[in-house]
Amino acid sequence: MHFSIPETESRSGDSGGSAYVAYNIHVNGVLHCRVRYSQLLGLHEQLRKEYGANVLPAFPPKKLFSLTPAEVEQRREQLEKYMQAVRQDPLLGSSETFNSFLRRAQQETQQVPTEEVSLEVLLSNGQKVLINVLTSDQTEDVLEAVAAKLDLPDDLIGYFSLFLVREKEDGAFSWHFFLDFPSFKSHYIFFFKPIVVRKLQEFELPYVSVTSLRSQEYKIVLRKSYWDSAYDDDVMENRVGLNLLYAQTVSDIERGWILVTKEQHRQLKSLQEKVSKKEFLRLAQTLRHYGYLRFDACVADFPEKDCPVVVSAGNSELSLQLRLPGQQLREGSFRVTRMRCWRVTSSVPLPSGSTSSPGRGRGEVRLELAFEYLMSKDRLQWVTITSPQAIMMSICLQSMVDELMVKKSGGSIRKMLRRRVGGTLRRSDSQQAVKSPPLLVSITSSSEPWLSSKLSAVSLRGIGSPSTDASASDVHGNFAFEGIGDEDL
C-alpha cells in the first residue's frame, strides 16, 4: 500500500464544525473510498478489542491542535505503515472487521444505496450470466450467485474467481461454439479480448467496483483461480466445471495465449468438432502456456536494456517472449522458486522546474516489477519489467508462491464456503494460513487529499531525483525460494 496526500486540503465538518483532512483509498488508480482519521482510528480500536494490542502495529496518535504540513506528512507515512502491516498480516488482513470496513467505506463513498440489482458476469468465451444481487454483496457472495446460476457444485467454487477486465480497443469478436449450461438457449457465442485488470478481492463490492468506473469497457469475468493443471482433474469430474475449463481453454487458444503448432491446432480442431471436451483439455494441457495469464506488451531490461517483451504468468514461472533484431521469436522463463524476492516500484515524472509540492502537474505513473533471480549457483541478478500491469504481475507471483506452499505443506486449494451462522461469517481455518494479497493501486494525480493503498513492495519516487535502493519493507520475500546448484540450472 502507499498513502499519498498530493496537497493539504481541509473539509468542513458535517455540522459546520472544525475542518478535517479526508484521505482517499485508490485501487488501481480508481477511487475506492474516502475515509477520515477518526474512521481509521475506530477500525484500529475494533481490531484491538478482537485481537489484542500486542498483535496490532502502532497507530498514529491523536493531536490536540491542527496539524502543520510537516505533521500531515508524518501522519500520512504512519498511516501507510499501519495499513501495510494490517493488510499483510495473515490474521488481520483476512479478518471480516478489516474487510467489511473497506466495503462499507466503498459503498458510502460511491453513494450507492443497498438494493437488489442485476449484474452481468461473463464467462471466458463472452457468454453472459445475469444474476440478481444486492449492491452491498461482497465478492464471495457474487461468486456464489454465479456458481448457483451455473449449477456449479459448492466444493468447486473455490477453484474459480471473479476478475475485473477491460476490453481491448479493437473490440474484436469471433463467433464459435455453444456451451451446455442450464438456462442458456443461445447456440452461438463470441470471444472477446480482455485486458485483466485485477482479481476482485474480499474487501470490495463487485457491483460498486465495476459501476463506479462508469465505462462499458469494464466487465466482470469468471476464470479459474489456480495455476497447477493437476487440479483440473477435480474440476473436470463435474459437467459444469468441465464446460468452464473448456470455454476458458478455447478462448485462450483463440486469443493466442496458449502456443499451438499447426499440427496441434489440427488435432484440437478435430476434437472440438467431435465435442470431445476431456480429450481436448488433455491435449491442451501439454501445450506451452496452458493455463497462463498473458499481459500486454511491455519492456524489460533482460536480456538487454529496453527489450520489448510479452510477459505471461503460469506454471510457477514468468515467461518473457521477445523478438531480437534479425532473430526469431525467443522465450525466457523465470521460475518462481528461483526468485529470492521481488518488488514493484512506481516512478512519477515531475515537470521541469517544478517545486517539491506534491500532487501538482504530475505525469502518468510508470510501474516496474523487479525480481532478484538466481541465475547460477552463486549469482543473483535483478530483472526489471516496466508495465502498467506490474502490480497484477506481482499478485500472480504471490498467488503462485501461496499455491506452492499449500501444496508443499500437504494442504489443498479447495476452499470451504463461507456460511452465515447467527449473522457471523465463518471461514475455513485453512485459508488463514496464506498471507492476504495486498491492495492493488496505482498513483494518479488528484486535486484533493487521498489515501492511496498499494502493494507493500511499491515505493514512490520522482524521476530525476536521486534514486535509492528500496528498503526492506519494500521487498516481497519469497518463502518458496530454493537455493540450487549449477547442476540444476
Side-chain angles (χ1 to χ4, degrees), residues 93-209:
S94 61
S95 69
E96 182 62 17
T97 297
F98 180 74
N99 290 306
S100 63
F101 170 84
L102 291 176
R103 292 194 296 266
R104 286 194 304 271
Q106 181 187 26
Q107 187 175 8
E108 292 171 1
T109 300
Q110 301 297 344
Q111 298 182 337
V112 177
T114 298
E115 59 185 357
E116 186 172 333
V117 293
S118 294
L119 179 63
E120 182 180 277
V121 177
L122 302 182
L123 305 184
S124 296
N125 54 17
Q127 194 166 348
K128 298 178 181 179
V129 181
L130 196 63
I131 56 175
N132 293 323
V133 298
L134 293 177
T135 54
S136 57
D137 280 345
Q138 58 188 289
T139 300
E140 290 190 52
D141 294 330
V142 175
L143 178 59
E144 290 172 17
V146 174
K149 190 67 175 285
L150 296 174
D151 284 344
L152 183 68
D154 288 354
D155 62 346
L156 293 183
I157 295 179
Y159 291 86
F160 295 88
S161 293
L162 298 175
F163 293 81
L164 182 67
V165 304
R166 179 171 58 84
E167 292 185 51
K168 285 190 175 181
E169 295 180 356
D170 58 20
F173 295 92
S174 61
W175 296 96
H176 219 275
F177 59 90
F178 168 70
L179 289 181
D180 181 23
F181 289 110
S183 305
F184 293 97
K185 303 300 182 182
S186 172
H187 288 273
Y188 296 95
I189 56 179
F190 54 83
F191 287 96
F192 66 114
K193 299 180 178 180
I195 299 171
V196 177
V197 177
R198 72 173 189 271
K199 178 181 175 180
L200 293 179
Q201 302 291 341
E202 66 271 27
F203 60 79
E204 60 187 315
L205 310 176
Y207 177 84
V208 178
S209 292

Side-chain angles (χ1 to χ4, degrees), residues 211-246:
T211 56
S212 64
L213 294 169
R214 295 176 175 82
S215 173
Q216 295 299 315
E217 291 182 346
Y218 291 92
K219 309 288 184 182
I220 296 177
V221 173
L222 180 73
R223 287 182 61 89
K224 72 177 186 179
S225 58
Y226 57 89
W227 302 99
D228 191 340
S229 61
Y231 293 117
D232 286 349
D233 292 341
D234 296 340
V235 180
M236 289 167 59
E237 292 176 358
N238 175 264
R239 178 178 59 85
V240 177
L242 174 63
N243 280 332
L244 290 172
L245 281 186
Y246 181 60

Side-chain angles (χ1 to χ4, degrees), residues 256-323:
W257 285 15
I258 299 177
L259 307 183
V260 184
T261 65
K262 289 184 178 180
E263 175 57 25
Q264 291 167 338
H265 187 275
R266 184 193 65 77
Q267 296 176 27
L268 290 169
K269 185 176 181 181
S270 175
L271 292 172
Q272 193 173 350
E273 291 172 349
K274 297 176 183 177
V275 197
S276 302
K277 297 179 182 179
K278 283 190 177 182
E279 290 76 9
F280 181 96
L281 287 171
R282 293 301 184 197
L283 176 57
Q285 288 173 338
T286 67
L287 304 179
R288 183 70 178 136
H289 289 187
Y290 170 79
Y292 282 50
L293 193 65
R294 177 178 286 196
F295 301 93
D296 282 352
C298 55
V299 175
D301 65 355
F302 186 90
E304 57 188 21
K305 186 178 179 181
D306 297 327
C307 184
V309 298
V310 174
V311 179
S312 298
N315 193 30
S316 301
E317 69 177 17
L318 278 187
S319 165
L320 272 64
Q321 291 179 298
L322 61 149
R323 191 182 299 277

Side-chain angles (χ1 to χ4, degrees), residues 434-476:
V434 177
K435 182 171 64 176
S436 298
L439 300 183
L440 309 181
V441 173
S442 58
I443 303 298
T444 57
S445 59
S446 174
S447 60
E448 58 185 9
W450 49 282
L451 171 67
S452 180
S453 354
K454 181 177 281 194
L455 290 173
S456 61
V458 178
S459 61
L460 181 66
R461 67 178 187 273
I463 292 179
S465 61
S467 60
T468 57
D469 291 337
S471 64
S473 62
D474 289 330
V475 177
H476 273 278

